[in-house]
Amino acid sequence: MADVLNKISTLTELDDVQIEKALLNRLLPRLRAYQDGQKSILKKNTGTQIEWTRFEALADSTTEATEGVTPEAEALDPTPITATVKQYVRGIKLTDRLLARGKHKCRAEAVRLLSEAGAKTIDSLVVAEMLKATKVYFGNNKAAATIAAADTVKESDIEKMFVYLADNNVPRFEDDTYHALVTPKMASDIRKLSSFVDKAKYQDPKGETLVKGEIGTVLGIKFIESTNIPTAKHGASGSLVDCEQLIAYGPDAYGVVDVEDEGSRGKPKMIHKGLGSAGTDDYADQRASEATKFEFAAKILDEKRICVLKAPASITL
């Protein structure tokens, strides 16, 4: 890769190590939704579909065993779940004059911008899938058609989401909480709840046990702030209000799929093309490029492990 980079500009602008750092700095802090997904890798030469199998819990049984009699064996109840990975590509063209005469480190900035865009795309794909959850609540115990601007998130809404997950026997994460993605606007209302516990009150001195984006907890749910959750409009006809969307979930509620050799761990693959790399199509060595490419998919694996709350925010910008 170094030879290709040398063709574009000197390695002092951005070498392989710096590219990796740029990817990490731009990608990881933004992958809020990706980080809790069940990770799967689609191997090379195995097609474009991946399959999970969800096994339903065994029914309760209080039947007493009869001495000397082997009870009838029970059958597993598997549910196959499939997803198809799709390819996503972004690229930036760089001219020889821009690279040689530009006042800024254009190639370095191109890598950073593409990394950031790739992160947002991955996160958006995961969030869009999570928002397909069938269990949806509305703020202040309202319905979609009756919610109004004053129906901001209440503790009873958070409690209802916690009980929904607990009642479905959804296990908690290792930190003994369920997790929830929350927008900054709704997070502002969450912080005002009397049972909100700020992360500063329980984190370790170095913050190493915190989830990226974690702000605190309410009633057994840990909140992770995300700027990448869209708003939704609900309310009476002619009086629609903007509702923030909060997604609460337990472990293995959804899966994320990376493709071997096409970007992994939520990180797009970087592709560098030097001046003249297009051969006779660039016979004057005038064009170079930076690009990201990855194949990805996300899928809800268990509807009982995920739910959504929609509520207006008290703060407007």
Side-chain angles (χ1 to χ4, degrees):
M1 181 182 291
D3 289 338
V4 175
L5 293 175
N6 272 319
K7 290 181 181 180
I8 302 177
S9 62
T10 64
L11 284 176
T12 56
E13 180 183 334
L14 191 67
D15 60 21
D16 290 348
V17 174
Q18 289 172 311
I19 288 173
E20 186 70 13
K21 287 182 178 178
L23 286 170
L24 293 176
N25 289 336
R26 290 295 179 105
L27 288 174
L28 296 184
R30 292 173 171 267
L31 296 176
R32 304 286 191 250
Y34 178 90
Q35 63 189 357
D36 278 334
Q38 184 186 117
K39 313 298 190 299
S40 297
I41 300 292
L42 184 63
K43 298 295 184 180
K44 293 178 65 176
N45 304 319
T46 57
T48 60
Q49 275 204 335
I50 192 165
E51 180 176 303
W52 296 268
T53 301
R54 184 181 71 241
F55 290 94
E56 306 301 334
L58 296 176
D60 292 339
S61 175
T62 57
T63 302
E64 182 181 356
T66 302
E67 184 178 356
V69 178
T70 302
E72 184 177 349
E74 300 180 62
L76 293 174
D77 184 10
T79 300
I81 303 169
T82 61
T84 302
V85 297
K86 297 180 180 180
Q87 188 177 77
Y88 303 87
V89 179
R90 297 288 295 273
I92 295 176
K93 289 183 178 180
L94 302 167
T95 66
D96 56 342
R97 287 182 61 82
L98 181 63
L99 291 169
R101 306 298 178 206
K103 295 181 180 180
H104 307 287
K105 296 180 178 179
C106 299
R107 185 164 59 85
E109 192 58 29
V111 169
R112 293 188 183 99
L113 290 172
L114 287 168
S115 300
E116 192 171 72
K120 188 172 183 180
T121 298
I122 290 171
D123 198 65
S124 296
L125 292 169
V126 182
V127 167
E129 177 64 20
M130 297 173 78
L131 287 173
K132 294 178 183 178
T134 55
K135 191 62 176 181
V136 179
Y137 297 105
F138 290 87
N140 200 20
N141 200 32
K142 291 294 185 68
T146 60
I147 194 165
D151 297 317
T152 57
V153 60
K154 304 293 189 294
E155 287 186 343
S156 59
D157 299 321
I158 304 303
E159 182 179 29
K160 189 179 296 184
M161 300 182 85
F162 178 87
V163 172
Y164 171 78
L165 296 172
D167 192 53
N168 281 313
N169 296 313
V170 177
R172 303 184 195 184
F173 286 94
E174 292 182 359
D175 53 25
D176 198 34
T177 68
Y178 296 123
H179 290 180
L181 299 179
V182 61
T183 66
K185 287 183 180 179
M186 187 181 283
S188 177
D189 292 325
I190 293 288
R191 288 185 174 96
K192 297 172 185 175
L193 301 178
S194 61
S195 57
F196 176 74
V197 180
D198 191 276
K199 66 179 182 181
K201 295 184 178 180
Y202 59 79
Q203 72 180 52
D204 63 279
K206 295 183 179 180
E208 294 177 351
T209 60
L210 297 179
V211 176
K212 289 182 177 66
E214 180 177 342
I215 64 169
T217 64
V218 175
L219 303 175
I221 295 182
K222 174 176 289 187
F223 292 90
I224 303 163
E225 197 169 75
S226 170
T227 59
N228 203 29
I229 303 175
T231 59
K233 288 187 177 295
H234 295 283
S237 178
S239 301
L240 297 177
V241 295
D242 286 332
C243 292
E244 303 297 306
Q245 301 189 95
L246 183 156
I247 311 170
Y249 54 90
D252 301 325
Y254 61 100
V256 292
V257 184
D258 292 318
V259 176
E260 188 178 43
D261 292 338
E262 287 293 338
S264 61
R265 292 174 285 110
K267 185 175 68 176
K269 181 179 181 180
M270 295 300 303
I271 301 172
H272 316 273
K273 298 294 184 181
L275 298 172
S277 59
T280 56
D281 287 338
D282 184 22
Y283 57 82
D285 290 355
Q286 292 176 297
R287 297 190 303 277
S289 65
E290 297 292 337
T292 56
K293 181 177 72 170
F294 61 94
E295 293 187 74
F296 187 75
K299 189 75 172 181
I300 290 178
L301 303 181
D302 192 341
E303 289 284 356
K304 295 178 180 178
R305 294 179 180 234
I306 187 169
C307 55
V308 173
L309 171 69
K310 303 185 181 188
S314 63
I315 188 170
T316 57
L317 301 175

